Amino acid sequence: MTHTLVHDQSLINVHFEGYKLKTLDENTQLSRTPLPQGQLQVSLHHSIGFRELQARVRFSHLAYGYPLLDTGYAFYVDNEYNVIMVAHQKNLGPSHFYTLSQLARPLQVSSKVESDTLGPLPSHYPSLAALSPYLLLATNGVGDIEVLSIDYQHGIQGVSLGVVHYEGEGTEGVSPVPCTLLSARQCEDKVWAVVYSRAVGQETQFNISMLEITLPTTTEPMHLRLLYQHKGSQVPVYCAITSDGRCMLGSECSFGYSKDVSETTPLLVSASSPPPPPPLIAPYRWTQQGQEICVEFKLAPNTLKSDIHCKLTHQHLSLMVQSEDSPIAYPYSKLWGTIDDSESIWTFTSDKLSLFITKQDEYTRWPHLFDKDDQVPESLDAQKLADMTERLAKFTTDMPDSIRHPTATDMDMEEDVDEAGQPIRFVVYDKEGQCVQEIASGGREWIGNSFGPDLPSVAVKMDIDAPVFQWKEGKDLQSQHVATLNAFAFVHASKQDSRFVRHDPQNTFSVIVESSRNAYIYYNTGRNTERQTLVDLTQGHDISVLGVQLVMEGVLMVLTEADIVVIHLDSQA
């Protein structure tokens, strides 16, 4: 069955005039609590493809927790793989932290095992999903899946009910298989969970797997069964599970149905010693002379300028090259020292990307390119250095239009092209993995979903607005246009850095959270002029924003690398 999202014209405010900035009272509406274990260390693997990078950037390291009485909860995993519960009471004050349990720490070798067709299989981030106020599903990023029981009666502590292992297709050459939780839901003694993992093959593909976990009893241990797998070129931006076990995926791409996994025999990993891995190849070459640093990346053949997105700031490099064969991903990577970004440029040829970076201090020799040493030594080939210096002089004296340093306008145009997405489409699968319903968006692109578990509502682009559609369970899932976020599609398009885009279940506000600085809150109360609030999350410090959740009505919790920031929204905007 197929139907299309249909908007209600009466919910479109054609008289909307815009947003007016309202300052947040940080004394009465904001609290910051340092993380007790110190700064979180979250890094991206440089070897992953562009589509997987997209999924990891969208991933929220702060998981939703069910509120109890006047206290909201959320969860995250620290550097030592401890599962941490964060509690925040309704009244403004510091947040409190409780260590529930420690997940199995991955062995270093687990991310280096290779299959014949896949290559290095990087571990995933640990991921969490609350099943109820008292049960939590957790993965450690390398395929171990654990159910924790939360005890509030004895000082808040966690008890492990059991661990199972995700084996993927059985052909990945590693066991268990690294995976990330997309959604989970409990139904009596069973837990349905959807995970994604990298599929075997030369092209970037992902397995989207529906799992059934039987909770342990006094006589039976916990058991995992793989119900079905689908394969696609992207990780879905939306995933939800209905009360009867149907799975809804929202994505720009389609997913192919894998054959019934119950009839397949997993490929066993040989017990003999695997051949030694090939020597690691540095992802770039770099050298320095005086004030100048030259960096070279090898590009895949026929790489276009529109595939390259490069930005150099005072102390950071943001570089992404879209390529199925050899993608390059350095999202907001801190350099070893400070640079003069106004004098630093990048150029490219058919097979090479070159960065010409000017140091702030010409007398300081950098030991490595990035703040965190990635073990890429400086190349000291004198002839190579002379050639690159000559090229730099050519580029800085007489640059033809085809290779000139892009202007801000050029970059905006490229980003516009890059951000021009495809219409979102929702597909519903039964517990056998068969498609039972398709919901088209009517040519509309994805904006974001609401906070909360179960079946979050979705917001899509429609002209400058963002209509919100809510799902209603039945024999078929029904969609209903319940609210409109005024001019939010326009606002969203104006933000170059929008890591998390959410709205509350009551549709009274929406929020755009940047990856390294601000949160923009837009109220939705039915007026022709609405309020907006800007919150400086990181206060200019060089830290990243890792997650956001609505822990209680009107209370936002944000996880950064250094602290928990809690925002109490206006009761009346």
Side-chain angles (χ1 to χ4, degrees):
M1 179 180 177
T2 302
H3 79 266
T4 302
L5 298 179
V6 178
H7 75 276
D8 183 348
Q9 188 61 36
S10 67
L11 296 178
I12 306 297
N13 185 0
V14 296
H15 302 292
F16 183 71
E17 298 175 358
Y19 291 96
K20 183 178 180 181
L21 184 64
K22 181 179 180 181
T23 304
L24 186 81
D25 187 347
E26 296 199 6
N27 293 322
T28 61
Q29 294 181 268
L30 190 72
S31 71
R32 302 177 189 269
T33 309
L35 300 182
Q37 301 82 11
Q39 184 163 321
L40 288 177
Q41 301 294 328
V42 175
S43 60
L44 287 165
H45 292 271
H46 293 163
S47 61
I48 65 177
F50 177 72
R51 292 300 185 186
E52 189 165 2
L53 174 65
Q54 281 185 317
R56 295 194 180 206
V57 169
R58 289 194 302 260
F59 175 74
S60 176
H61 294 264
L62 189 67
Y64 172 81
Y66 288 85
L68 289 174
L69 300 177
D70 290 330
T71 304
Y73 297 95
F75 306 90
Y76 70 92
V77 178
D78 70 9
N79 299 330
E80 302 301 319
Y81 286 82
N82 294 310
V83 178
I84 307 297
M85 171 187 273
V86 188
H88 187 85
Q89 294 182 338
K90 186 70 174 179
N91 58 311
L92 190 67
S95 300
H96 300 278
F97 302 86
Y98 303 91
T99 301
L100 298 183
S101 180
Q102 185 177 45
L103 304 178
R105 299 193 62 169
L107 299 175
Q108 292 295 328
V109 70
S110 65
S111 63
K112 299 298 182 183
V113 177
E114 297 187 8
S115 69
D116 293 336
T117 58
L118 183 60
L121 196 66
S123 61
H124 288 220
Y125 294 138
S127 50
L128 305 165
L131 304 172
S132 73
Y134 309 99
L135 282 181
L136 183 69
L137 192 65
T139 72
N140 61 353
V142 294
D144 300 315
I145 302 176
E146 186 170 355
V147 177
L148 300 175
S149 174
I150 305 173
D151 180 4
Y152 296 89
Q153 302 299 320
H154 303 89
I156 303 188
Q157 57 185 346
V159 178
S160 177
L161 300 183
V163 180
V164 290
H165 309 290
Y166 171 68
E167 300 296 343
E169 290 180 286
T171 58
E172 289 86 349
V174 59
S175 176
V177 174
C179 63
T180 298
L181 282 168
L182 292 177
S183 184
R185 188 162 184 169
Q186 181 186 3
C187 180
E188 298 179 350
D189 64 339
K190 297 186 186 302
V191 173
W192 293 308
V194 181
V195 302
Y196 86 83
S197 59
R198 176 74 184 270
V200 171
Q202 296 299 329
E203 297 182 355
T204 301
Q205 294 277 301
F206 301 97
N207 284 324
I208 313 301
S209 303
M210 182 68 161
L211 312 178
E212 183 180 83
I213 301 171
T214 303
L215 295 176
T217 65
T218 55
T219 57
E220 294 292 333
M222 196 162 73
H223 176 71
L224 180 145
R225 184 163 70 101
L226 177 60
L227 297 181
Y228 58 84
Q229 284 181 335
H230 290 282
K231 188 172 294 184
S233 61
Q234 299 179 20
V235 177
V237 296
Y238 181 86
C239 180
I241 303 172
T242 65
S243 59
D244 59 0
R246 286 173 290 174
C247 173
M248 173 185 273
L249 300 180
S251 179
E252 297 173 355
C253 77
S254 58
F255 294 92
Y257 177 65
S258 300
K259 61 182 179 180
D260 188 348
V261 295
S262 64
E263 298 176 358
T264 64
T265 302
L267 178 66
L268 297 179
V269 181
S270 173
S272 60
S273 299
L280 294 177
I281 300 176
Y284 60 88
R285 290 170 56 89
W286 74 288
T287 189
Q288 57 187 319
Q289 185 179 43
Q291 197 173 4
E292 307 300 332
I293 295 178
C294 302
V295 188
E296 284 190 349
F297 293 87
K298 185 178 180 180
L299 298 178
N302 303 317
T303 299
L304 302 176
K305 181 181 179 182
S306 58
D307 296 329
I308 303 171
H309 305 275
C310 182
K311 184 178 181 181
L312 288 159
T313 62
H314 183 60
Q315 204 172 3
H316 288 85
L317 166 67
S318 295
L319 174 63
M320 294 176 64
V321 179
Q322 300 180 40
S323 169
E324 292 295 335
D325 298 325
S326 55
I328 301 172
Y330 289 83
Y332 204 66
S333 298
K334 186 177 181 181
L335 300 170
W336 186 85
T338 56
I339 67 172
D340 184 348
D341 52 336
S342 65
E343 295 293 330
S344 302
I345 67 171
W346 65 270
T347 65
F348 84 104
T349 60
S350 59
D351 62 349
K352 189 180 299 180
L353 171 68
S354 301
L355 309 181
F356 301 102
I357 300 173
T358 301
K359 303 177 189 174
Q360 286 279 17
D361 185 357
E362 64 178 304
Y363 301 107
T364 300
R365 190 167 189 87
W366 291 17
H368 36 83
L369 185 62
F370 294 102
D371 181 56
K372 296 178 182 178
D373 188 5
D374 55 0
Q375 304 300 313
V376 178
E378 179 186 0
S379 173
L380 298 177
D381 186 330
Q383 183 59 46
K384 182 69 175 177
L385 178 60
D387 292 342
M388 294 180 71
T389 303
E390 181 181 349
R391 289 177 58 207
L392 174 59
K394 180 181 70 172
F395 285 130
T396 54
T397 55
D398 185 19
M399 291 186 291
D401 289 342
S402 60
I403 54 175
R404 65 184 174 86
H405 178 55
T407 65
T409 302
D410 294 334
M411 296 178 68
D412 287 342
M413 291 177 64
E414 289 180 358
E415 289 178 1
D416 287 343
V417 172
D418 179 59
E419 293 299 326
Q422 299 296 318
I424 188 74
R425 184 172 69 109
F426 301 93
V427 182
V428 182
Y429 302 96
D430 63 15
K431 285 191 286 187
E432 285 71 45
Q434 300 293 334
C435 174
V436 294
Q437 190 178 1
E438 292 188 26
I439 305 170
S441 64
R444 303 180 181 103
E445 297 173 22
W446 175 254
I447 289 278
N449 54 267
S450 65
F451 291 106
D454 301 337
L455 285 173
S457 59
V458 299
V460 295
K461 296 181 181 179
M462 190 179 76
D463 298 327
I464 66 170
D465 296 320
V468 176
F469 292 88
Q470 199 171 61
W471 309 112
K472 182 179 180 181
E473 290 197 46
K475 181 180 179 181
D476 293 310
L477 283 177
Q478 301 296 321
S479 62
Q480 182 182 1
H481 180 194
V482 293
T484 299
L485 307 177
N486 295 311
F488 193 64
F490 175 80
V491 167
H492 177 261
S494 70
K495 299 290 185 291
Q496 294 186 5
D497 179 7
S498 52
R499 183 169 187 178
F500 305 110
V501 183
R502 300 285 190 274
H503 57 275
D504 73 311
Q506 289 74 38
N507 308 305
T508 61
F509 75 90
S510 52
V511 60
I512 297 175
V513 180
E514 295 179 330
S515 60
S516 60
R517 191 63 188 259
N518 298 320
Y520 301 90
I521 301 166
Y522 302 88
Y523 291 95
N524 187 42
T525 61
R527 302 186 179 112
N528 291 340
T529 300
E530 296 283 10
R531 302 279 185 166
Q532 71 167 356
T533 297
L534 183 150
V535 182
D536 186 350
L537 299 172
T538 61
Q539 297 181 305
H541 297 296
D542 184 24
I543 55 177
S544 297
V545 178
L546 302 178
V548 60
Q549 290 295 339
L550 185 68
V551 295
M552 286 182 289
E553 185 175 350
V555 181
L556 274 177
M557 181 179 288
V558 180
L559 172 68
T560 78
E561 288 181 319
D563 54 14
I564 286 288
V565 182
V566 176
I567 307 165
H568 287 251
L569 304 181
D570 292 338
S571 57
Q572 287 187 336

